[in-house]
Amino acid sequence: MTDITKNAQLAPVQEFQRMDADGDGSVDLTDFLRAPHRLLSELGLPEESDKGRALLEANKTQWTFLLSLGDADGDGVLTTDEYVTARTSPAFRSADRPGKGDVCRTLFDLLDRDDDGSLDRDEFLRAGDFLGMSDADAGTYFDELDADGSGRISPKEFLKAVKRFYTS
């Protein structure tokens, strides 16, 4: 395996490790939904709220698609290798991927507590915590993304942040 291939697989392996909370070497739907459930709880939003349902459904759609790409043995569970296969598949990056961008859009809507269509610094810091960033790192990142200095991040800028997080 080349260094380029190893580096391309590092981010998905790290994602997998964050999801595999019990360390059993596999991720199932419960593991995959642990982070969105935790976020809803931390924000005090009921899972049955419109925003809560939207976030969970978007994540379930993504899970189903990941299984279709990587679940080689059809057991409904992904191993590290299966997850890396799914996440590095050209089909995963396809513009036609089912639910592409839905998780990011629903996360943005969830964090946009005042429903003004943008995230201020405090709203963004909640996203940083969800993504495992320190407040200092998230604050610095906010400043980088807020190129116009408006003190707000648009949905497009937020999508850029999430893409960068998962590909760095």
Side-chain angles (χ1 to χ4, degrees), residues 103-123:
V103 171
C104 187
R105 279 188 291 280
T106 58
L107 179 57
F108 181 91
D109 290 343
L110 192 69
L111 294 169
D112 182 15
R113 302 285 285 193
D114 57 8
D115 294 319
D116 68 351
S118 65
L119 299 181
D120 62 26
R121 179 177 287 276
D122 290 338
E123 290 170 329

Side-chain angles (χ1 to χ4, degrees), residues 116-137:
D116 68 351
S118 65
L119 299 181
D120 62 26
R121 179 177 287 276
D122 290 338
E123 290 170 329
F124 185 78
L125 290 179
R126 286 189 188 100
D129 182 55
F130 177 71
L131 296 173
M133 299 170 73
S134 69
D135 281 352
D137 288 345

